[in-house]
Amino acid sequence: MEEVVVQNNLRNKEFRTVEIPKWGNYLRCQWRDCFASHLSSEEQKMIGMDDFLWHLCSWEKVKCFEKEEAIIAFNKQSKYKCTIFYQFIDEAYLIYKANTLKVTDLPYEQCHLYYSDIYIMDWNSKWTFIMTHESKCGPYFIQIT
């Protein structure tokens, strides 16, 4: 794995960013297994999770924080190592020493086809933060207790 700078947002920060090429599909599957395993495959299909994983939250199928509460929860969350991945591309990143990672640091572009549905997931799958392309949906924060 090669260390890279992820867009301008992650430059000159205390954390270390490593590109993990082609991990997007793996991370999306892991996310589904960790945060949506309480739903059957049929239930997941009914709410459109094959299109957008974040439908788990918008259809209220999991307990989560939304909007400003989600941002506050993410910013306060202890973050040593986490992954960043997207809905439609296999580009993914591993962030080490991520305690200072804030929402404003994320490589997210709301109006971009590929960079507008972003998932940040704890390396141990204890929490996830999601930002969507829809201004009325999200952000969301799920924490497994």
mmCIF file of all heavy atoms in Angstrom, residues 71-118:
data_model
loop_
_atom_site.group_PDB
_atom_site.id
_atom_site.type_symbol
_atom_site.label_atom_id
_atom_site.label_comp_id
_atom_site.label_asym_id
_atom_site.label_seq_id
_atom_site.Cartn_x
_atom_site.Cartn_y
_atom_site.Cartn_z
ATOM 1 N N ILE A 71 -23.197 14.706 13.114
ATOM 2 C CA ILE A 71 -21.915 15.409 12.961
ATOM 3 C C ILE A 71 -21.225 15.551 14.315
ATOM 4 O O ILE A 71 -20.029 15.285 14.450
ATOM 5 C CB ILE A 71 -22.130 16.788 12.298
ATOM 6 C CG1 ILE A 71 -22.582 16.591 10.847
ATOM 7 C CG2 ILE A 71 -20.855 17.632 12.371
ATOM 8 C CD1 ILE A 71 -23.067 17.859 10.170
ATOM 9 N N ILE A 72 -21.974 15.940 15.327
ATOM 10 C CA ILE A 72 -21.409 16.079 16.671
ATOM 11 C C ILE A 72 -20.882 14.731 17.162
ATOM 12 O O ILE A 72 -19.764 14.641 17.696
ATOM 13 C CB ILE A 72 -22.453 16.659 17.644
ATOM 14 C CG1 ILE A 72 -22.732 18.120 17.281
ATOM 15 C CG2 ILE A 72 -22.005 16.529 19.087
ATOM 16 C CD1 ILE A 72 -23.955 18.717 17.970
ATOM 17 N N ALA A 73 -21.657 13.657 16.966
ATOM 18 C CA ALA A 73 -21.235 12.325 17.402
ATOM 19 C C ALA A 73 -19.952 11.897 16.690
ATOM 20 O O ALA A 73 -19.034 11.359 17.314
ATOM 21 C CB ALA A 73 -22.350 11.310 17.161
ATOM 22 N N PHE A 74 -19.873 12.148 15.392
ATOM 23 C CA PHE A 74 -18.663 11.786 14.636
ATOM 24 C C PHE A 74 -17.461 12.593 15.115
ATOM 25 O O PHE A 74 -16.391 12.035 15.357
ATOM 26 C CB PHE A 74 -18.871 11.997 13.137
ATOM 27 C CG PHE A 74 -17.618 11.774 12.339
ATOM 28 C CD1 PHE A 74 -17.145 10.488 12.124
ATOM 29 C CD2 PHE A 74 -16.911 12.839 11.809
ATOM 30 C CE1 PHE A 74 -15.982 10.272 11.392
ATOM 31 C CE2 PHE A 74 -15.746 12.640 11.082
ATOM 32 C CZ PHE A 74 -15.283 11.352 10.872
ATOM 33 N N ASN A 75 -17.623 13.881 15.242
ATOM 34 C CA ASN A 75 -16.502 14.724 15.649
ATOM 35 C C ASN A 75 -15.997 14.374 17.046
ATOM 36 O O ASN A 75 -14.803 14.472 17.313
ATOM 37 C CB ASN A 75 -16.870 16.197 15.561
ATOM 38 C CG ASN A 75 -16.902 16.705 14.132
ATOM 39 O OD1 ASN A 75 -16.302 16.129 13.232
ATOM 40 N ND2 ASN A 75 -17.609 17.797 13.917
ATOM 41 N N LYS A 76 -16.890 13.927 17.926
ATOM 42 C CA LYS A 76 -16.511 13.576 19.296
ATOM 43 C C LYS A 76 -15.973 12.146 19.401
ATOM 44 O O LYS A 76 -15.304 11.811 20.374
ATOM 45 C CB LYS A 76 -17.713 13.715 20.231
ATOM 46 C CG LYS A 76 -18.146 15.145 20.464
ATOM 47 C CD LYS A 76 -19.445 15.172 21.211
ATOM 48 C CE LYS A 76 -19.273 15.658 22.617
ATOM 49 N NZ LYS A 76 -20.547 15.742 23.347
ATOM 50 N N GLN A 77 -16.288 11.312 18.433
ATOM 51 C CA GLN A 77 -15.935 9.892 18.475
ATOM 52 C C GLN A 77 -14.423 9.683 18.523
ATOM 53 O O GLN A 77 -13.687 10.329 17.785
ATOM 54 C CB GLN A 77 -16.508 9.176 17.242
ATOM 55 C CG GLN A 77 -16.262 7.702 17.189
ATOM 56 C CD GLN A 77 -16.922 6.973 18.345
ATOM 57 O OE1 GLN A 77 -18.056 7.239 18.694
ATOM 58 N NE2 GLN A 77 -16.206 6.054 18.934
ATOM 59 N N SER A 78 -13.986 8.756 19.350
ATOM 60 C CA SER A 78 -12.587 8.358 19.366
ATOM 61 C C SER A 78 -12.301 7.628 18.056
ATOM 62 O O SER A 78 -12.998 6.674 17.701
ATOM 63 C CB SER A 78 -12.334 7.441 20.559
ATOM 64 O OG SER A 78 -11.016 6.960 20.520
ATOM 65 N N LYS A 79 -11.295 8.105 17.343
ATOM 66 C CA LYS A 79 -10.986 7.544 16.025
ATOM 67 C C LYS A 79 -9.487 7.284 15.917
ATOM 68 O O LYS A 79 -8.735 8.192 15.617
ATOM 69 C CB LYS A 79 -11.408 8.522 14.922
ATOM 70 C CG LYS A 79 -12.872 8.873 14.917
ATOM 71 C CD LYS A 79 -13.226 9.882 13.838
ATOM 72 C CE LYS A 79 -12.924 11.295 14.154
ATOM 73 N NZ LYS A 79 -13.702 11.955 15.174
ATOM 74 N N TYR A 80 -9.072 6.048 16.121
ATOM 75 C CA TYR A 80 -7.654 5.766 15.920
ATOM 76 C C TYR A 80 -7.400 5.345 14.467
ATOM 77 O O TYR A 80 -6.565 5.900 13.778
ATOM 78 C CB TYR A 80 -7.129 4.692 16.867
ATOM 79 C CG TYR A 80 -5.666 4.424 16.596
ATOM 80 C CD1 TYR A 80 -4.703 5.372 16.931
ATOM 81 C CD2 TYR A 80 -5.253 3.274 15.953
ATOM 82 C CE1 TYR A 80 -3.365 5.171 16.633
ATOM 83 C CE2 TYR A 80 -3.911 3.060 15.652
ATOM 84 C CZ TYR A 80 -2.976 4.006 15.990
ATOM 85 O OH TYR A 80 -1.657 3.809 15.687
ATOM 86 N N LYS A 81 -8.171 4.363 13.999
ATOM 87 C CA LYS A 81 -7.994 3.866 12.639
ATOM 88 C C LYS A 81 -9.375 3.659 12.027
ATOM 89 O O LYS A 81 -10.232 3.017 12.625
ATOM 90 C CB LYS A 81 -7.197 2.558 12.670
ATOM 91 C CG LYS A 81 -6.854 2.013 11.317
ATOM 92 C CD LYS A 81 -5.740 0.970 11.310
ATOM 93 C CE LYS A 81 -5.990 -0.279 12.055
ATOM 94 N NZ LYS A 81 -5.016 -1.348 11.772
ATOM 95 N N CYS A 82 -9.570 4.204 10.830
ATOM 96 C CA CYS A 82 -10.867 4.046 10.170
ATOM 97 C C CYS A 82 -10.663 4.008 8.662
ATOM 98 O O CYS A 82 -9.604 4.345 8.147
ATOM 99 C CB CYS A 82 -11.834 5.163 10.569
ATOM 100 S SG CYS A 82 -11.277 6.825 10.223
ATOM 101 N N THR A 83 -11.717 3.579 7.973
ATOM 102 C CA THR A 83 -11.687 3.532 6.520
ATOM 103 C C THR A 83 -12.650 4.571 5.963
ATOM 104 O O THR A 83 -13.641 4.928 6.601
ATOM 105 C CB THR A 83 -12.085 2.140 5.988
ATOM 106 O OG1 THR A 83 -13.373 1.799 6.506
ATOM 107 C CG2 THR A 83 -11.072 1.092 6.385
ATOM 108 N N ILE A 84 -12.337 5.022 4.766
ATOM 109 C CA ILE A 84 -13.211 5.912 4.009
ATOM 110 C C ILE A 84 -13.464 5.230 2.676
ATOM 111 O O ILE A 84 -12.523 4.793 2.011
ATOM 112 C CB ILE A 84 -12.552 7.286 3.775
ATOM 113 C CG1 ILE A 84 -12.345 8.019 5.100
ATOM 114 C CG2 ILE A 84 -13.375 8.124 2.800
ATOM 115 C CD1 ILE A 84 -11.599 9.347 4.966
ATOM 116 N N PHE A 85 -14.730 5.109 2.315
ATOM 117 C CA PHE A 85 -15.069 4.524 1.021
ATOM 118 C C PHE A 85 -16.351 5.159 0.513
ATOM 119 O O PHE A 85 -17.013 5.918 1.218
ATOM 120 C CB PHE A 85 -15.179 2.992 1.099
ATOM 121 C CG PHE A 85 -16.194 2.479 2.073
ATOM 122 C CD1 PHE A 85 -17.454 2.097 1.653
ATOM 123 C CD2 PHE A 85 -15.892 2.354 3.431
ATOM 124 C CE1 PHE A 85 -18.392 1.605 2.553
ATOM 125 C CE2 PHE A 85 -16.814 1.862 4.331
ATOM 126 C CZ PHE A 85 -18.072 1.491 3.895
ATOM 127 N N TYR A 86 -16.687 4.850 -0.733
ATOM 128 C CA TYR A 86 -17.809 5.484 -1.412
ATOM 129 C C TYR A 86 -18.798 4.443 -1.925
ATOM 130 O O TYR A 86 -18.487 3.259 -2.006
ATOM 131 C CB TYR A 86 -17.293 6.327 -2.585
ATOM 132 C CG TYR A 86 -16.335 7.410 -2.146
ATOM 133 C CD1 TYR A 86 -14.968 7.189 -2.104
ATOM 134 C CD2 TYR A 86 -16.806 8.661 -1.759
ATOM 135 C CE1 TYR A 86 -14.086 8.174 -1.692
ATOM 136 C CE2 TYR A 86 -15.939 9.656 -1.347
ATOM 137 C CZ TYR A 86 -14.581 9.410 -1.313
ATOM 138 O OH TYR A 86 -13.719 10.385 -0.899
ATOM 139 N N GLN A 87 -19.974 4.903 -2.317
ATOM 140 C CA GLN A 87 -21.037 4.012 -2.771
ATOM 141 C C GLN A 87 -20.741 3.382 -4.126
ATOM 142 O O GLN A 87 -21.005 2.205 -4.335
ATOM 143 C CB GLN A 87 -22.361 4.782 -2.852
ATOM 144 C CG GLN A 87 -23.552 3.914 -3.195
ATOM 145 C CD GLN A 87 -23.933 2.984 -2.073
ATOM 146 O OE1 GLN A 87 -24.157 3.412 -0.956
ATOM 147 N NE2 GLN A 87 -24.003 1.694 -2.355
ATOM 148 N N PHE A 88 -20.201 4.153 -5.065
ATOM 149 C CA PHE A 88 -20.149 3.689 -6.450
ATOM 150 C C PHE A 88 -18.762 3.414 -7.012
ATOM 151 O O PHE A 88 -18.655 3.007 -8.161
ATOM 152 C CB PHE A 88 -20.846 4.702 -7.353
ATOM 153 C CG PHE A 88 -22.310 4.831 -7.052
ATOM 154 C CD1 PHE A 88 -22.824 6.023 -6.564
ATOM 155 C CD2 PHE A 88 -23.176 3.772 -7.220
ATOM 156 C CE1 PHE A 88 -24.167 6.149 -6.275
ATOM 157 C CE2 PHE A 88 -24.523 3.883 -6.933
ATOM 158 C CZ PHE A 88 -25.016 5.076 -6.455
ATOM 159 N N ILE A 89 -17.725 3.662 -6.246
ATOM 160 C CA ILE A 89 -16.382 3.415 -6.766
ATOM 161 C C ILE A 89 -15.596 2.575 -5.765
ATOM 162 O O ILE A 89 -15.939 2.510 -4.596
ATOM 163 C CB ILE A 89 -15.635 4.731 -7.082
ATOM 164 C CG1 ILE A 89 -15.548 5.624 -5.845
ATOM 165 C CG2 ILE A 89 -16.291 5.458 -8.250
ATOM 166 C CD1 ILE A 89 -14.719 6.888 -6.039
ATOM 167 N N ASP A 90 -14.549 1.955 -6.234
ATOM 168 C CA ASP A 90 -13.755 1.087 -5.379
ATOM 169 C C ASP A 90 -12.587 1.808 -4.722
ATOM 170 O O ASP A 90 -11.794 1.191 -4.017
ATOM 171 C CB ASP A 90 -13.260 -0.131 -6.165
ATOM 172 C CG ASP A 90 -14.371 -1.135 -6.382
ATOM 173 O OD1 ASP A 90 -15.360 -1.114 -5.603
ATOM 174 O OD2 ASP A 90 -14.276 -1.939 -7.314
ATOM 175 N N GLU A 91 -12.475 3.093 -4.935
ATOM 176 C CA GLU A 91 -11.468 3.902 -4.254
ATOM 177 C C GLU A 91 -11.757 3.883 -2.754
ATOM 178 O O GLU A 91 -12.893 4.069 -2.332
ATOM 179 C CB GLU A 91 -11.574 5.332 -4.790
ATOM 180 C CG GLU A 91 -10.515 6.270 -4.337
ATOM 181 C CD GLU A 91 -10.678 7.618 -5.035
ATOM 182 O OE1 GLU A 91 -11.012 7.644 -6.241
ATOM 183 O OE2 GLU A 91 -10.469 8.626 -4.365
ATOM 184 N N ALA A 92 -10.735 3.637 -1.959
ATOM 185 C CA ALA A 92 -10.913 3.588 -0.508
ATOM 186 C C ALA A 92 -9.612 4.005 0.161
ATOM 187 O O ALA A 92 -8.542 3.947 -0.446
ATOM 188 C CB ALA A 92 -11.332 2.188 -0.069
ATOM 189 N N TYR A 93 -9.735 4.412 1.430
ATOM 190 C CA TYR A 93 -8.578 4.905 2.180
ATOM 191 C C TYR A 93 -8.624 4.393 3.606
ATOM 192 O O TYR A 93 -9.684 4.224 4.180
ATOM 193 C CB TYR A 93 -8.562 6.439 2.194
ATOM 194 C CG TYR A 93 -8.552 6.995 0.797
ATOM 195 C CD1 TYR A 93 -9.744 7.313 0.158
ATOM 196 C CD2 TYR A 93 -7.362 7.138 0.092
ATOM 197 C CE1 TYR A 93 -9.749 7.772 -1.144
ATOM 198 C CE2 TYR A 93 -7.359 7.596 -1.211
ATOM 199 C CZ TYR A 93 -8.553 7.910 -1.829
ATOM 200 O OH TYR A 93 -8.560 8.358 -3.122
ATOM 201 N N LEU A 94 -7.449 4.178 4.143
ATOM 202 C CA LEU A 94 -7.284 3.822 5.539
ATOM 203 C C LEU A 94 -6.633 5.025 6.212
ATOM 204 O O LEU A 94 -5.618 5.538 5.727
ATOM 205 C CB LEU A 94 -6.393 2.586 5.659
ATOM 206 C CG LEU A 94 -6.049 2.101 7.052
ATOM 207 C CD1 LEU A 94 -7.307 1.755 7.849
ATOM 208 C CD2 LEU A 94 -5.126 0.891 6.963
ATOM 209 N N ILE A 95 -7.231 5.477 7.299
ATOM 210 C CA ILE A 95 -6.716 6.631 8.025
ATOM 211 C C ILE A 95 -6.217 6.146 9.383
ATOM 212 O O ILE A 95 -6.973 5.555 10.155
ATOM 213 C CB ILE A 95 -7.811 7.701 8.243
ATOM 214 C CG1 ILE A 95 -8.550 8.027 6.945
ATOM 215 C CG2 ILE A 95 -7.217 8.957 8.880
ATOM 216 C CD1 ILE A 95 -7.719 8.675 5.886
ATOM 217 N N TYR A 96 -4.931 6.371 9.646
ATOM 218 C CA TYR A 96 -4.314 6.049 10.936
ATOM 219 C C TYR A 96 -4.225 7.312 11.774
ATOM 220 O O TYR A 96 -4.121 8.408 11.231
ATOM 221 C CB TYR A 96 -2.873 5.543 10.751
ATOM 222 C CG TYR A 96 -2.750 4.199 10.129
ATOM 223 C CD1 TYR A 96 -2.494 4.068 8.771
ATOM 224 C CD2 TYR A 96 -2.837 3.053 10.897
ATOM 225 C CE1 TYR A 96 -2.343 2.821 8.189
ATOM 226 C CE2 TYR A 96 -2.689 1.800 10.325
ATOM 227 C CZ TYR A 96 -2.443 1.689 8.970
ATOM 228 O OH TYR A 96 -2.300 0.467 8.406
ATOM 229 N N LYS A 97 -4.211 7.135 13.079
ATOM 230 C CA LYS A 97 -4.091 8.267 14.001
ATOM 231 C C LYS A 97 -5.130 9.324 13.649
ATOM 232 O O LYS A 97 -4.836 10.512 13.532
ATOM 233 C CB LYS A 97 -2.681 8.846 13.973
ATOM 234 C CG LYS A 97 -1.620 7.844 14.377
ATOM 235 C CD LYS A 97 -0.248 8.458 14.328
ATOM 236 C CE LYS A 97 0.800 7.409 14.687
ATOM 237 N NZ LYS A 97 2.151 7.920 14.542
ATOM 238 N N ALA A 98 -6.368 8.876 13.502
ATOM 239 C CA ALA A 98 -7.449 9.700 12.974
ATOM 240 C C ALA A 98 -8.202 10.494 14.038
ATOM 241 O O ALA A 98 -9.255 11.054 13.754
ATOM 242 C CB ALA A 98 -8.430 8.813 12.204
ATOM 243 N N ASN A 99 -7.698 10.563 15.255
ATOM 244 C CA ASN A 99 -8.428 11.247 16.332
ATOM 245 C C ASN A 99 -8.797 12.683 16.006
ATOM 246 O O ASN A 99 -9.808 13.187 16.477
ATOM 247 C CB ASN A 99 -7.641 11.182 17.646
ATOM 248 C CG ASN A 99 -7.786 9.833 18.307
ATOM 249 O OD1 ASN A 99 -8.812 9.178 18.171
ATOM 250 N ND2 ASN A 99 -6.760 9.402 18.997
ATOM 251 N N THR A 100 -8.011 13.351 15.191
ATOM 252 C CA THR A 100 -8.322 14.745 14.854
ATOM 253 C C THR A 100 -9.183 14.867 13.595
ATOM 254 O O THR A 100 -9.521 15.977 13.194
ATOM 255 C CB THR A 100 -7.031 15.563 14.657
ATOM 256 O OG1 THR A 100 -6.276 14.996 13.582
ATOM 257 C CG2 THR A 100 -6.206 15.587 15.932
ATOM 258 N N LEU A 101 -9.550 13.740 12.984
ATOM 259 C CA LEU A 101 -10.374 13.755 11.773
ATOM 260 C C LEU A 101 -11.754 14.329 12.078
ATOM 261 O O LEU A 101 -12.452 13.859 12.969
ATOM 262 C CB LEU A 101 -10.515 12.330 11.215
ATOM 263 C CG LEU A 101 -11.292 12.177 9.907
ATOM 264 C CD1 LEU A 101 -10.554 12.840 8.751
ATOM 265 C CD2 LEU A 101 -11.510 10.693 9.608
ATOM 266 N N LYS A 102 -12.139 15.360 11.347
ATOM 267 C CA LYS A 102 -13.431 16.025 11.507
ATOM 268 C C LYS A 102 -14.205 15.945 10.191
ATOM 269 O O LYS A 102 -13.640 15.669 9.125
ATOM 270 C CB LYS A 102 -13.247 17.498 11.886
ATOM 271 C CG LYS A 102 -12.455 17.720 13.160
ATOM 272 C CD LYS A 102 -13.230 17.306 14.373
ATOM 273 C CE LYS A 102 -12.445 17.601 15.639
ATOM 274 N NZ LYS A 102 -12.747 16.716 16.715
ATOM 275 N N VAL A 103 -15.469 16.245 10.240
ATOM 276 C CA VAL A 103 -16.322 16.229 9.046
ATOM 277 C C VAL A 103 -15.754 17.135 7.961
ATOM 278 O O VAL A 103 -15.763 16.784 6.782
ATOM 279 C CB VAL A 103 -17.769 16.644 9.410
ATOM 280 C CG1 VAL A 103 -18.598 16.869 8.169
ATOM 281 C CG2 VAL A 103 -18.406 15.578 10.284
ATOM 282 N N THR A 104 -15.233 18.266 8.348
ATOM 283 C CA THR A 104 -14.697 19.224 7.367
ATOM 284 C C THR A 104 -13.450 18.707 6.656
ATOM 285 O O THR A 104 -13.063 19.258 5.633
ATOM 286 C CB THR A 104 -14.389 20.574 8.049
ATOM 287 O OG1 THR A 104 -13.530 20.324 9.176
ATOM 288 C CG2 THR A 104 -15.665 21.256 8.512
ATOM 289 N N ASP A 105 -12.828 17.641 7.165
ATOM 290 C CA ASP A 105 -11.644 17.048 6.538
ATOM 291 C C ASP A 105 -11.990 16.023 5.465
ATOM 292 O O ASP A 105 -11.116 15.628 4.688
ATOM 293 C CB ASP A 105 -10.786 16.327 7.592
ATOM 294 C CG ASP A 105 -10.239 17.245 8.650
ATOM 295 O OD1 ASP A 105 -9.862 18.385 8.317
ATOM 296 O OD2 ASP A 105 -10.192 16.814 9.824
ATOM 297 N N LEU A 106 -13.209 15.554 5.437
ATOM 298 C CA LEU A 106 -13.569 14.417 4.589
ATOM 299 C C LEU A 106 -13.542 14.761 3.106
ATOM 300 O O LEU A 106 -13.986 15.838 2.697
ATOM 301 C CB LEU A 106 -14.958 13.902 4.975
ATOM 302 C CG LEU A 106 -15.067 13.366 6.394
ATOM 303 C CD1 LEU A 106 -16.510 12.985 6.702
ATOM 304 C CD2 LEU A 106 -14.130 12.189 6.614
ATOM 305 N N PRO A 107 -13.057 13.829 2.282
ATOM 306 C CA PRO A 107 -13.045 14.015 0.832
ATOM 307 C C PRO A 107 -14.439 13.741 0.251
ATOM 308 O O PRO A 107 -14.713 12.688 -0.315
ATOM 309 C CB PRO A 107 -12.005 12.999 0.356
ATOM 310 C CG PRO A 107 -12.033 11.924 1.398
ATOM 311 C CD PRO A 107 -12.374 12.604 2.691
ATOM 312 N N TYR A 108 -15.305 14.707 0.432
ATOM 313 C CA TYR A 108 -16.729 14.586 0.096
ATOM 314 C C TYR A 108 -17.126 15.764 -0.771
ATOM 315 O O TYR A 108 -16.773 16.901 -0.489
ATOM 316 C CB TYR A 108 -17.535 14.592 1.401
ATOM 317 C CG TYR A 108 -19.016 14.836 1.242
ATOM 318 C CD1 TYR A 108 -19.866 13.805 0.860
ATOM 319 C CD2 TYR A 108 -19.567 16.092 1.483
ATOM 320 C CE1 TYR A 108 -21.224 14.018 0.721
ATOM 321 C CE2 TYR A 108 -20.931 16.310 1.350
ATOM 322 C CZ TYR A 108 -21.752 15.275 0.967
ATOM 323 O OH TYR A 108 -23.095 15.493 0.833
ATOM 324 N N GLU A 109 -17.860 15.483 -1.848
ATOM 325 C CA GLU A 109 -18.392 16.521 -2.717
ATOM 326 C C GLU A 109 -19.857 16.194 -2.997
ATOM 327 O O GLU A 109 -20.146 15.267 -3.738
ATOM 328 C CB GLU A 109 -17.596 16.594 -4.015
ATOM 329 C CG GLU A 109 -16.151 17.004 -3.817
ATOM 330 C CD GLU A 109 -15.373 17.021 -5.117
ATOM 331 O OE1 GLU A 109 -15.951 17.436 -6.149
ATOM 332 O OE2 GLU A 109 -14.203 16.616 -5.100
ATOM 333 N N GLN A 110 -20.761 16.945 -2.413
ATOM 334 C CA GLN A 110 -22.183 16.619 -2.465
ATOM 335 C C GLN A 110 -22.736 16.491 -3.885
ATOM 336 O O GLN A 110 -23.594 15.671 -4.140
ATOM 337 C CB GLN A 110 -23.009 17.633 -1.687
ATOM 338 C CG GLN A 110 -24.469 17.224 -1.596
ATOM 339 C CD GLN A 110 -25.283 18.107 -0.684
ATOM 340 O OE1 GLN A 110 -24.888 19.216 -0.365
ATOM 341 N NE2 GLN A 110 -26.422 17.616 -0.276
ATOM 342 N N CYS A 111 -22.259 17.263 -4.809
ATOM 343 C CA CYS A 111 -22.812 17.240 -6.171
ATOM 344 C C CYS A 111 -22.000 16.385 -7.141
ATOM 345 O O CYS A 111 -22.223 16.425 -8.339
ATOM 346 C CB CYS A 111 -22.925 18.669 -6.695
ATOM 347 S SG CYS A 111 -24.100 19.652 -5.745
ATOM 348 N N HIS A 112 -21.071 15.605 -6.648
ATOM 349 C CA HIS A 112 -20.234 14.764 -7.503
ATOM 350 C C HIS A 112 -20.802 13.347 -7.538
ATOM 351 O O HIS A 112 -21.146 12.789 -6.502
ATOM 352 C CB HIS A 112 -18.805 14.755 -6.964
ATOM 353 C CG HIS A 112 -17.816 14.199 -7.927
ATOM 354 N ND1 HIS A 112 -17.691 12.850 -8.175
ATOM 355 C CD2 HIS A 112 -16.910 14.817 -8.714
ATOM 356 C CE1 HIS A 112 -16.745 12.665 -9.070
ATOM 357 N NE2 HIS A 112 -16.247 13.836 -9.409
ATOM 358 N N LEU A 113 -20.894 12.776 -8.716
ATOM 359 C CA LEU A 113 -21.467 11.437 -8.877
ATOM 360 C C LEU A 113 -20.761 10.395 -8.007
ATOM 361 O O LEU A 113 -21.408 9.543 -7.397
ATOM 362 C CB LEU A 113 -21.411 11.005 -10.345
ATOM 363 C CG LEU A 113 -21.912 9.593 -10.666
ATOM 364 C CD1 LEU A 113 -23.398 9.459 -10.318
ATOM 365 C CD2 LEU A 113 -21.672 9.261 -12.121
ATOM 366 N N TYR A 114 -19.443 10.449 -7.941
ATOM 367 C CA TYR A 114 -18.690 9.417 -7.235
ATOM 368 C C TYR A 114 -18.318 9.758 -5.798
ATOM 369 O O TYR A 114 -18.110 8.872 -4.987
ATOM 370 C CB TYR A 114 -17.419 9.065 -8.003
ATOM 371 C CG TYR A 114 -17.706 8.494 -9.368
ATOM 372 C CD1 TYR A 114 -17.154 9.064 -10.504
ATOM 373 C CD2 TYR A 114 -18.537 7.393 -9.517
ATOM 374 C CE1 TYR A 114 -17.422 8.536 -11.769
ATOM 375 C CE2 TYR A 114 -18.811 6.861 -10.768
ATOM 376 C CZ TYR A 114 -18.247 7.443 -11.892
ATOM 377 O OH TYR A 114 -18.514 6.927 -13.121
ATOM 378 N N TYR A 115 -18.196 11.027 -5.468
ATOM 379 C CA TYR A 115 -17.702 11.416 -4.146
ATOM 380 C C TYR A 115 -18.773 12.012 -3.242
ATOM 381 O O TYR A 115 -18.464 12.669 -2.261
ATOM 382 C CB TYR A 115 -16.528 12.393 -4.291
ATOM 383 C CG TYR A 115 -15.360 11.768 -4.993
ATOM 384 C CD1 TYR A 115 -15.130 11.986 -6.345
ATOM 385 C CD2 TYR A 115 -14.505 10.909 -4.315
ATOM 386 C CE1 TYR A 115 -14.069 11.383 -7.003
ATOM 387 C CE2 TYR A 115 -13.446 10.294 -4.962
ATOM 388 C CZ TYR A 115 -13.236 10.543 -6.302
ATOM 389 O OH TYR A 115 -12.186 9.931 -6.944
ATOM 390 N N SER A 116 -20.030 11.742 -3.543
ATOM 391 C CA SER A 116 -21.113 12.345 -2.760
ATOM 392 C C SER A 116 -21.766 11.405 -1.763
ATOM 393 O O SER A 116 -22.454 11.864 -0.862
ATOM 394 C CB SER A 116 -22.183 12.902 -3.701
ATOM 395 O OG SER A 116 -22.722 11.867 -4.494
ATOM 396 N N ASP A 117 -21.582 10.127 -1.875
ATOM 397 C CA ASP A 117 -22.108 9.177 -0.898
ATOM 398 C C ASP A 117 -20.900 8.502 -0.258
ATOM 399 O O ASP A 117 -20.312 7.589 -0.820
ATOM 400 C CB ASP A 117 -23.028 8.153 -1.573
ATOM 401 C CG ASP A 117 -24.283 8.808 -2.101
ATOM 402 O OD1 ASP A 117 -25.115 9.226 -1.276
ATOM 403 O OD2 ASP A 117 -24.428 8.912 -3.332
ATOM 404 N N ILE A 118 -20.525 9.016 0.915
ATOM 405 C CA ILE A 118 -19.279 8.619 1.567
ATOM 406 C C ILE A 118 -19.579 7.936 2.895
ATOM 407 O O ILE A 118 -20.502 8.323 3.612
ATOM 408 C CB ILE A 118 -18.359 9.843 1.765
ATOM 409 C CG1 ILE A 118 -16.984 9.439 2.303
ATOM 410 C CG2 ILE A 118 -19.006 10.893 2.643
ATOM 411 C CD1 ILE A 118 -15.971 10.590 2.341
#
